[in-house]
Amino acid sequence: MTSRDGFQWTADTGLKAGVPSIGVISPPSNLASTDQPYDVIVVGGGYSGLTALRDATVAGLRVLLVEARDRIGGRSWSSNIGGYPFEMGGTWVHWGQPHIWREISRYQMRNELEMSFDFSRGVNHFQLRTNEGESIMTHEEEDALLAGALERFVNVDGDMGRKIMPYAHDTFHVAEARQYDNMSVQDRLKELSRSLSPNERASLESFLLLCSCGTLETTSFLEFLHWWALCGYTYRGCLDYLITYKFKGGQSSFAIKFFQEALSTGNLSYAFNSPVQTIRDDGKKVTLTTRSGREFTGSRLISTIPLNVLNSVTFDPPLDAQRMVAANIGHVNQCVKVHAEISNKDMRSWTGISYPFNKLTYAIGDGTTPAGNTHIVCFGGYFNHIQPEENVNETKKAVETLAPGNMDIERLVFHNWSKDEFAKGAWFFSPPRLLTTSLEALRTRQGNILFANSDWAVGWRSFIDGAIEEGTRAAMTVKEELGPQNSIRSHL
């Protein structure tokens, strides 16, 4: 099945919209002609929604999934092209992320992981290109360069952040941590300006922008400290948790397991291609109206709508003031993620930074396709102002500029998250002051409406693990409130 989402380019076909994915659901709806009230309506089929509906249906509740897209996965989905999975959004996982590892174990996929990096053959080097020139380093030198810079960057307490954030799942356990939410990473860089070499500065800034895909001025220093703490306060941990282990079959091979289990209970109804217009809570029930005018009612509604999209749906009563303030501010991540399939096999062991002059700044060799080509995954962001589908030649040039003479492009694959109306950006990354003012407000229910999204998880916020954490939390609430004795079905 082919999704409307995503783009691919080859010299033979040119640019084409829509890419194949096993996350596309057919038929797009299993609704009966007459729909009875539901126990729970779940808005959104990303990992938060999939976890919530899976847990609720298994508990015997009658659940309706309403999804705007033609597929599941939300901001984490893969496209299988030529027998190879290209990850369009969230990709990497780790057994140290508790919620996702529970689900990987549940679906017996522990042996379905593989490493992105393979330094066993080929060029086996790191290529740093800056305004001051080019450096070729070993990967050990690459690690030493970035580790040294990162350790100085996060060491605000003399203990690599451990004192200021001793519990990674409690951002504000230490009251003094709040002061760092008033700082951007640019503010912190200014404090270190005399202690960083040009190469350290370029590699550090590139890594920070890879994490936030905002700008240095709009990236919260506190949120980066939170990521650092989650990764065990080490650079090695950042590599392991953030960018090393992925599913052999792609994220959609994992997401489909949640959907299939829920469907097998007989308690799941679903409607894809159904963007939401309004959500109304009269105190007794919640009524959802789609853009096409169709109405559904439920005892509870779980909204997994991302932060940057919340203000595009009308809520009645209106959302509380602080939640709306946060939604209007939004998060900063406008990631540009471009997959390049290149014919140079030696680039499998290559990593590179091309900053600040290139529109794609950070890239790694990420796999080998069945055709024997090298898969390179490249990242840029809002700070570089690139819209890949609007100018494919510019996108090709940005890929080639990462390693001139070595990027012989056979295929490009990507999804434009900035122009995706149901995401308006990629994974969550906070601007300064948003966490301290709004995190708790975003996590609070409003009447019969619960809000579950990785954007406001307390643990791996912005990660797949955080999405599952949030879906679990919401499902537990509705199960406790609507158990078998209180469900719609028990009164029919």
Side-chain angles (χ1 to χ4, degrees), residues 295-349:
E295 288 192 351
F296 304 100
T297 62
S299 297
R300 300 290 185 275
L301 183 140
I302 298 174
S303 167
T304 72
I305 300 169
L307 176 63
N308 284 5
V309 187
L310 263 180
N311 59 8
S312 68
V313 174
T314 300
F315 286 83
D316 179 18
L319 296 179
D320 60 274
Q322 192 56 53
R323 199 188 315 263
M324 280 307 300
V325 167
N328 290 332
I329 294 172
H331 71 76
V332 303
N333 190 317
Q334 299 297 318
C335 176
V336 177
K337 181 180 183 183
V338 176
H339 300 279
E341 182 179 354
I342 65 172
S343 58
N344 188 336
K345 296 175 175 58
D346 287 341
M347 292 294 279
R348 177 68 181 92
S349 55

Side-chain angles (χ1 to χ4, degrees), residues 92 116-117 119 125-128 139 142 206-207 210 243 336-340 342 347-355 358 360-366 375-380 398-403 407:
W92 292 280
S116 283
F117 300 105
F119 298 153
H125 67 234
F126 168 62
Q127 187 170 2
L128 176 62
H139 292 302
E142 172 191 8
S206 298
F207 186 81
L210 171 65
I243 201 167
V336 177
K337 181 180 183 183
V338 176
H339 300 279
I342 65 172
M347 292 294 279
R348 177 68 181 92
S349 55
W350 171 91
T351 62
I353 289 174
S354 181
Y355 175 82
N358 194 15
L360 294 171
T361 60
Y362 198 106
I364 64 171
D366 194 36
H375 166 219
I376 303 287
V377 59
C378 317
F379 295 89
V399 173
E400 293 164 350
T401 300
L402 286 159
M407 295 291 195

Side-chain angles (χ1 to χ4, degrees), residues 7-45:
F7 295 86
Q8 67 167 313
W9 172 92
T10 68
D12 290 337
T13 64
L15 182 67
K16 286 190 172 183
V19 293
S21 175
I22 61 173
V24 176
I25 303 302
S26 180
S29 176
N30 67 348
L31 293 175
S33 57
T34 58
D35 298 306
Q36 300 173 343
Y38 295 89
D39 294 313
V40 186
I41 299 173
V42 175
V43 180

Side-chain angles (χ1 to χ4, degrees), residues 386-436:
I386 183 173
Q387 304 290 346
E389 77 279 12
E390 293 183 4
N391 190 332
V392 172
N393 288 331
E394 181 183 55
T395 305
K396 290 170 59 183
K397 181 181 178 182
V399 173
E400 293 164 350
T401 300
L402 286 159
N406 289 301
M407 295 291 195
D408 39 356
I409 301 171
E410 300 285 336
R411 186 190 309 273
L412 297 176
V413 186
F414 54 86
H415 179 79
N416 191 332
W417 292 105
S418 295
K419 290 196 171 183
D420 183 327
E421 67 169 317
F422 306 121
K424 297 183 180 179
W427 64 86
F428 173 92
F429 209 99
S430 176
R433 292 172 288 281
L434 182 68
L435 294 174
T436 47

Side-chain angles (χ1 to χ4, degrees), residues 250-313:
Q251 279 293 336
S252 293
S253 71
F254 183 48
I256 199 69
K257 301 286 189 181
F258 293 72
F259 186 79
Q260 289 170 340
E261 183 178 359
L263 198 59
S264 71
T265 67
N267 295 326
L268 177 65
S269 300
Y270 60 85
F272 287 82
N273 305 317
S274 300
V276 176
Q277 184 74 37
T278 62
I279 297 173
R280 181 168 55 87
D281 180 6
D282 66 8
K284 295 181 179 179
K285 65 181 184 304
V286 184
T287 301
L288 178 151
T289 305
T290 66
R291 289 182 189 172
S292 65
R294 193 163 190 181
E295 288 192 351
F296 304 100
T297 62
S299 297
R300 300 290 185 275
L301 183 140
I302 298 174
S303 167
T304 72
I305 300 169
L307 176 63
N308 284 5
V309 187
L310 263 180
N311 59 8
S312 68
V313 174

Side-chain angles (χ1 to χ4, degrees), residues 60-199:
L61 298 179
R62 188 166 183 262
V63 178
L64 169 68
L65 168 64
V66 180
E67 168 56 59
R69 307 180 190 277
D70 54 14
R71 60 171 180 80
I72 58 172
R75 291 175 288 185
S76 295
W77 67 290
S78 54
S79 174
N80 193 292
I81 299 173
Y84 184 85
F86 293 90
E87 297 285 10
M88 312 302 285
T91 301
W92 292 280
V93 299
H94 194 275
W95 47 88
Q97 296 168 329
H99 300 283
I100 199 166
W101 193 248
R102 179 193 68 214
E103 302 298 343
I104 289 173
S105 297
R106 180 189 187 114
Y107 295 122
Q108 302 183 53
M109 296 183 70
R110 291 183 297 272
N111 295 323
E112 292 299 313
L113 301 183
E114 64 181 4
M115 295 181 67
S116 283
F117 300 105
D118 181 358
F119 298 153
S120 64
R121 58 182 172 80
V123 299
N124 200 20
H125 67 234
F126 168 62
Q127 187 170 2
L128 176 62
R129 308 188 71 229
T130 72
N131 287 333
E132 300 193 10
E134 179 175 293
S135 301
I136 302 295
M137 308 179 196
T138 67
H139 292 302
E140 290 76 16
E141 290 170 329
E142 172 191 8
D143 291 343
L145 176 71
L146 189 49
L150 271 169
E151 287 169 2
R152 271 170 280 164
F153 182 74
V154 301
N155 195 21
V156 294
D157 56 4
D159 199 16
M160 299 299 171
R162 290 178 176 85
K163 293 177 182 176
I164 204 70
M165 199 171 291
Y167 299 103
H169 288 70
D170 186 351
T171 308
F172 307 119
H173 182 80
V174 176
E176 290 77 12
R178 292 176 177 267
Q179 66 182 300
Y180 296 111
D181 198 32
N182 292 320
M183 294 178 62
S184 67
V185 297
Q186 179 72 295
D187 295 330
R188 177 58 177 163
L189 286 167
K190 288 179 181 178
E191 295 179 348
L192 300 174
S193 58
R194 295 183 180 180
S195 68
L196 296 171
S197 71
N199 279 355

